[in-house]
Amino acid sequence: MKNVLAGFLAVLLTGTSAIAADLYQAEPAPAYVDAPEVSVTQASGWYLRGDIGYSFNKLRGANYYQGGPGGYLADFETAKIKDSYNIGAGVGYQFNNYFRSDLTFDYMGKADFRGSTRGFCGNGAPCVSTDLAALRAYTLMANAYVDLGTYGRVTPYVGGGVGAAYVKWDKLRNTSCATDGSGYCDETTEHGGSGKWRFAYALMAGASIDVTCNLKADVGYRFRHINKGEMFAYENNGGPGRDKGLYSHEVRLGGRYVFNGCDTAQYMPPADIPLQPAVYK
């Protein structure tokens, strides 16, 4: 009887092991599927720009030769120019999402000048002169900008430029009147105006706003410095004169049209993503 039971248990254990072996299967290796391709746009390409602005101008002073070219150099007692407007256009290239450069040409509208000097009238009485003129400026400048990242539709930037400005002075009208209460005034003298190219540079800051994928609005500030130069010619024992340079603080509004701005420049395929097997409980 014991032998029979022992044989029965042996057969039972052998069958149980076989069933367990049949139930166990090795876990299959995870399958991999290709994720959808993700496009990454790299901003680059040519663009055209246009700007308008208002310029708060400051003349750094002016001087002239009293007694003609062989006389002594004297400063204007007062020398001021009024504010004016600016218009400009340019062409540029966006190298990547962070750097761009352009070449611009700007026109600064008429800025009236008013100055005064002290001396002696033709009758020997002490005099104060009233000097009236105006200037205009044409600026050609190469600029570079660093875009500081895009936040929604807004991209702040900083930049700088270097170039030359053609400053054109109108003729200067000089009228000297006595200060002794006599009412005496010399005849008005007109000095021919001067026009010359001068060194100029600028510093900029602002923000671009995406209107469409091709069109960007631009709101910015520009500081521009124009070097000193000739102002008016010798006439009637006075002159020539020179200004000591000028600078302006400009508030500007403009736009840039980017060619092929809506195109996707490059595609970056992502890494394969493993497909996890289903888990049954």
Side-chain angles (χ1 to χ4, degrees), residues 5 73 89 95 133 191 241 254:
L5 289 174
L73 188 65
F95 292 92
H191 299 260

XYZ file of all heavy atoms in Angstrom, residues 5 73 89 95 133 191 241 254:
55
model
N 1.001 4.446 -2.834
C 0.837 5.885 -2.545
C 2.061 6.690 -2.989
O 1.944 7.786 -3.515
C 0.606 6.087 -1.037
C -0.746 5.626 -0.502
C -0.787 5.747 1.013
C -1.863 6.436 -1.130
N 38.775 132.419 -31.453
C 37.660 131.475 -31.398
C 36.786 131.774 -30.187
O 37.284 131.879 -29.058
C 38.193 130.042 -31.321
C 37.165 128.917 -31.435
C 36.517 128.922 -32.820
C 37.837 127.560 -31.176
N 14.459 103.490 -43.809
C 14.221 102.197 -44.455
C 15.527 101.426 -44.468
O 16.615 101.999 -44.286
C 13.686 102.380 -45.870
N 20.219 85.910 -39.095
C 21.135 84.772 -39.173
C 20.601 83.564 -38.410
O 20.769 82.429 -38.843
C 22.508 85.173 -38.623
C 23.217 86.166 -39.479
C 23.072 87.528 -39.251
C 24.012 85.759 -40.532
C 23.729 88.458 -40.048
C 24.678 86.669 -41.336
C 24.523 88.032 -41.094
N 19.102 129.547 -37.812
C 19.440 128.635 -38.904
C 18.594 127.368 -38.736
O 17.676 127.311 -37.909
C 20.929 128.316 -38.915
N 25.221 134.145 -43.388
C 26.394 133.281 -43.577
C 25.951 132.026 -44.332
O 24.948 131.397 -43.970
C 26.993 132.862 -42.234
C 27.468 134.012 -41.389
N 28.792 134.376 -41.311
C 26.784 134.876 -40.589
C 28.923 135.406 -40.494
N 27.708 135.732 -40.037
N 32.027 129.133 -38.665
C 31.556 128.554 -37.420
C 31.444 127.045 -37.505
O 31.329 126.468 -38.598
N 8.099 100.870 -36.171
C 8.391 100.368 -37.508
C 7.854 98.971 -37.735
O 7.085 98.423 -36.934
